[in-house]
Structure formats: C-alpha cells, structure tokens
Amino acid sequence: MEKARKTSTFWYQFSRFWFWITGWHLGAQVPPGIPKSMMIAAPHTSNWDFMFARAAFYLMDVDVRFTVKKSWVDIPVLGKLMLALGALPVDRQKNNSLVDGMVQLFEEREELVILITPEGTRAYQPRWKKGFYFAALGAKVPILLGYLDYKNKEAGVGPAFWPTGNYEKDLEEIKAFYRTKAGRFPEKGVR
C-alpha cells in the first residue's frame, strides 16, 4: 500500500513549477527511518533561501516546521500563510528556554522535523547559535544537514549527524560539510 502524501497537490505542483522555471533540482533527500530530527539550513545568505528550501521540502514530502516570532502569526493574512507553510510560533518575550521548548515538541510528537538557520542572519556569521545542537542532544534526535547550493542549483539534505556532546568538535564537522556549498552570496557563507 502506497504511503499517503503529506504535501498538498497545490504546493507539490507549485514547487515542481518553481524548480523547473528556476533551473533547480533536488539532491540527496532525508534518509529513511528518521521520523524526528533537527534540520539545520545553511548557508543562509538570502531571503530567496526560504522559497527554494520550502519548495524542496514539499517535493521531498517532508513536513518541515520552522520557528518564527509569535508576532508574525498574529498578523491576519500573513499569520495564516506562515502557519500553513509550517511555522511554529515562539514567544520570545517570555522568560523560557527555546531549547527546552523544542525538546518538549519532540517528546509530544511521533514525527517532527524542525528547521533552524543556525547563523541567525543572512550576513556572514562566524559564531552559530547553539540552540539547535542542544535541542537535538536533549531530544536524542539527529541533526540533518539541509542545504542550498546556488552554484549547482541544488537543494538537498546531507548525512544525518548524531550529536556527541562535544559541541566544538561536532560543529567543526558540520561546518566542514557546509564549506562545500555555495550560498547565493558566497562571501556570506560558511568559512
């Protein structure tokens, strides 16, 4: 029996059209048998990254969720669109731990992929935010290496990476993978 598609026909067809018109293609996809993961997306150098990444995950039929400021989903039309695209609203005004909140989200669900841009900005950022790492470690889920390679017009997912607890060593291995991927603005990419 064929597994039911998670992606709506509209978003799937739109994504196929978007990739066709822009000349992009899919690279490696999410490894099978990983129902929960923290997915990082790098290099993040352009606002266009969202369009290509979202389309790629629709084509892969991966129900990726991403965190946004709660105020974004409070805007009437934009909020509904953001939620439909997979937004998980986060109230940054509350004195709570985003890492603990993400661990709890993983514990509450049988399947969940949370997408994070660890650079936290589209500008070059040598120091990544650590939350993605400690959320994956706390939830005992792998980190998937989502990428956009503008040089080759390819969107894909690298290998599953299981955090060891040695942040500095693990981050160096993760960044080594991303150094082979060119952002839209390569000078802002991972070094």
Side-chain angles (χ1 to χ4, degrees):
M1 186 169 157
E2 190 174 314
K3 186 177 175 184
R5 180 170 273 288
K6 297 172 194 166
T7 302
S8 75
T9 302
F10 170 80
W11 286 116
Y12 179 79
Q13 294 298 341
F14 176 84
S15 298
R16 282 186 57 186
F17 175 74
W18 175 249
F19 266 43
W20 174 75
I21 201 166
T22 60
W24 277 65
H25 66 276
L26 287 179
Q29 298 189 31
V30 175
I34 300 179
K36 298 181 191 183
S37 63
M38 179 64 65
M39 171 122 28
I40 55 177
H44 181 38
T45 66
S46 166
N47 284 330
W48 285 102
D49 295 351
F50 179 79
M51 286 289 293
F52 289 108
R54 186 65 263 189
F57 293 122
Y58 282 140
L59 292 172
M60 291 180 206
D61 199 31
V62 175
D63 185 20
V64 169
R65 308 296 302 272
F66 56 94
T67 58
V68 296
K69 293 178 187 175
K70 184 181 181 304
S71 59
W72 284 28
V73 299
D74 292 339
I75 301 169
V77 175
L78 179 63
K80 288 187 186 287
L81 177 62
M82 295 298 287
L83 290 169
L85 292 173
L88 289 170
V90 175
D91 187 351
R92 295 183 180 173
Q93 301 303 313
K94 289 185 177 178
N95 186 15
N96 60 4
S97 165
L98 182 56
V99 170
D100 291 343
M102 286 192 282
V103 169
Q104 184 176 350
L105 288 171
F106 280 116
E107 289 172 352
E108 294 170 351
R109 292 168 169 78
E110 289 186 31
E111 289 186 25
L112 180 62
V113 178
I114 298 178
L115 181 68
I116 298 288
T117 55
E119 294 151 306
T121 178
R122 290 171 304 282
Y124 170 68
Q125 180 54 262
R127 295 180 55 150
W128 284 10
K129 296 179 182 286
K130 298 178 180 181
F132 77 92
Y133 182 87
F134 291 102
L137 190 65
K140 297 175 180 64
V141 300
I143 298 168
L144 295 179
L145 309 181
Y147 68 88
L148 295 173
D149 187 348
Y150 280 81
K151 180 181 177 184
N152 297 306
K153 292 189 171 186
E154 181 179 275
V157 179
F161 187 89
W162 290 89
T164 66
N166 184 338
Y167 175 75
E168 296 300 329
K169 179 182 174 294
D170 290 352
L171 184 62
E172 181 51 38
E173 288 185 41
I174 290 168
K175 283 187 170 184
F177 171 81
Y178 284 113
R179 287 185 189 108
T180 67
K181 309 302 177 196
R184 182 159 193 238
F185 300 104
E187 69 279 5
K188 296 179 183 181
V190 180
R191 297 181 197 161

